[in-house]
Amino acid sequence: MSKNKILILFSHPLFEKSHANKALVKNIPDSENITFHDLYEEYPDFDIDVKREQDLLSQHDIIIWHHPMYWYSCPPLMKQWIDMVLEHNWAYGKRGYALQDKIIFQVITTGGDKENYCETGSDRYTILELLEPFNQTAKVCNMIYLPPFVVHGTHNMTKEDYEKNGLIYGYFLDYLENHDTDTDEILQHHYLNEWFATILT
């Protein structure tokens, strides 16, 4: 079977200070089918090359928005990327079908524990509820939006915790590259890493 081509759109303005994201990025498989695209490294002045970004999207089957949770959303450069790259009549609109049926999801790191993200928790909403604008953006662009891969509690992790999450992320990407995904099955789970745990067992 043909392999899936994966584009990781990474956005972290303080990447050098993030132990969790360093561990995740370090474990991205070295594969010609996986493209790691660091937006803050590529566009430090926020001067996004829209045509280049659209070409990258067209060349891949699975798109990943990889970013920390910044005030219940994404960092500003990723928001600008969404605003500029997903153009009318290219990504959406009457003639906008360039991204149709491509899979998209988020890889999120957050300092808060999972228990905080619920109606009775300190953050009041679930991660899925907070990410609903991204879900709707994907749907308008005719893409298949999957639940996020979430790493919780990054502020309280040990070095071993970081390494464990990094290894899981690497295995997860390798699996996505080499297997067809049953999206109906995945959508029964709140998090992609919860679904992937069932694959590993």
Side-chain angles (χ1 to χ4, degrees):
M1 103 173 197
S2 61
K3 293 178 182 282
N4 291 311
K5 291 191 174 293
I6 302 171
L7 174 62
I8 301 171
L9 296 164
F10 180 73
S11 179
H12 199 315
L14 295 171
F15 181 33
E16 67 279 1
K17 296 183 178 180
S18 175
H19 297 296
N21 280 283
K22 282 181 182 176
L24 295 177
V25 169
K26 183 179 75 172
N27 283 278
I28 294 172
D30 182 11
S31 168
E32 63 182 6
N33 298 306
I34 300 177
T35 303
F36 177 73
H37 190 41
D38 186 336
L39 295 180
Y40 274 92
E41 182 176 287
E42 195 68 34
Y43 303 116
D45 299 321
F46 281 53
D47 187 15
I48 295 172
D49 184 338
V50 171
K51 180 63 167 62
R52 182 187 177 213
E53 296 302 308
Q54 291 176 345
D55 287 344
L56 272 174
L57 289 169
S58 297
Q59 294 162 17
H60 292 81
D61 310 301
I62 299 173
I63 316 300
I64 300 175
W65 285 319
H66 180 159
H67 63 89
M69 184 71 92
Y70 263 37
W71 282 110
Y72 308 105
S73 186
C74 63
L77 182 53
M78 180 159 285
K79 180 59 169 68
Q80 179 156 323
W81 183 96
I82 291 170
D83 292 342
M84 295 183 64
V85 175
L86 304 182
E87 288 183 318
H88 182 253
N89 281 335
W90 184 82
Y92 70 101
K94 290 184 178 179
R95 298 189 301 277
Y97 290 96
L99 302 176
Q100 184 168 5
D101 296 331
K102 290 183 184 289
I103 289 173
I104 191 165
F105 61 88
Q106 282 151 288
V107 171
I108 304 270
T109 56
T110 175
D113 295 330
K114 185 177 181 180
E115 295 73 24
N116 295 352
Y117 288 91
C118 65
E119 185 177 357
T120 57
S122 59
D123 294 297
R124 299 179 53 220
Y125 298 95
T126 67
I127 291 286
L128 291 180
E129 289 170 331
L130 293 168
L131 296 181
E132 188 56 32
F134 296 92
N135 185 1
Q136 181 61 17
T137 297
K139 290 187 183 306
V140 169
C141 295
N142 302 294
M143 303 178 81
I144 300 168
Y145 183 84
L146 298 182
F149 183 106
V150 184
V151 179
H152 277 291
T154 58
H155 294 166
N156 300 315
M157 282 184 175
T158 64
K159 181 180 178 182
E160 289 72 26
D161 292 329
Y162 294 131
E163 291 175 351
K164 178 182 177 182
N165 279 284
L167 287 172
I168 293 171
Y169 186 45
Y171 297 147
F172 168 70
L173 291 173
D174 181 75
Y175 184 90
L176 284 186
E177 178 191 359
N178 293 289
H179 294 81
D180 289 329
T181 51
D182 184 343
T183 55
D184 289 336
E185 179 185 347
I186 291 172
L187 289 169
Q188 296 176 28
H189 297 266
H190 291 295
Y191 290 171
L192 264 174
N193 28 336
E194 292 177 352
W195 163 77
F196 188 57
T198 68
I199 298 294
L200 293 176
T201 56

